[in-house]
Amino acid sequence: MGDAVFVSGADRDPADPEPVADSKATAAFGLGLLAAVTGPAVGGIVPATVALALARQAREELQAGEGWRTGAGRVLWAERLAWLGLVLAGLSLVALTVWLFLRGVHFGTQDFPPTVD
């Protein structure tokens, strides 16, 4: 699932570069964390969407990097946190809709002042 495969020291050529952390994976993780924190306030929708897009790109880069890029764990957690932020935002919107609906419903008769026809 996009996990980086590390090349052991015996199989590596000394001229090969060291494995590098993927910056998109780190950015996606940060945005996923922001989405999970701000999700209940419905502000997590935008960072969650961007985090999912970056996580998809980072996963492709990790697979193309053939083990020279690291960050598969951050990509996995970025996706989980982004989806959590979206779910929390959705639940907040549903709760707000139910609350507004119940607040607008009046039970019983309306009591008008005596000056109203």
Side-chain angles (χ1 to χ4, degrees):
M1 186 159 165
D3 291 330
V5 178
F6 294 103
V7 180
S8 67
D11 296 337
R12 290 188 56 203
D13 187 286
D16 284 342
E18 291 294 320
V20 177
D22 190 66
S23 59
K24 285 185 183 176
T26 304
F29 177 75
L31 287 169
L33 188 60
L34 180 65
V37 170
T38 60
V42 188
I45 294 173
V46 173
T49 306
V50 176
L52 288 173
L54 279 177
R56 182 179 45 82
Q57 293 173 2
R59 186 176 305 283
E60 292 171 0
E61 287 181 1
L62 289 175
Q63 289 173 350
E66 298 176 350
W68 300 110
R69 289 183 181 260
T70 62
R74 285 188 300 271
V75 171
L76 179 65
W77 276 102
E79 291 171 339
R80 288 178 180 174
L81 290 170
W83 281 112
L84 176 65
L86 288 173
V87 167
L88 290 174
L91 288 175
S92 293
L93 287 174
V94 168
L96 179 65
T97 302
V98 168
W99 180 74
L100 288 174
F101 177 74
L102 292 177
R103 186 173 173 245
V105 174
H106 298 288
F107 298 102
T109 60
Q110 182 70 32
D111 187 23
F112 291 105
T115 58
V116 175
D117 285 337

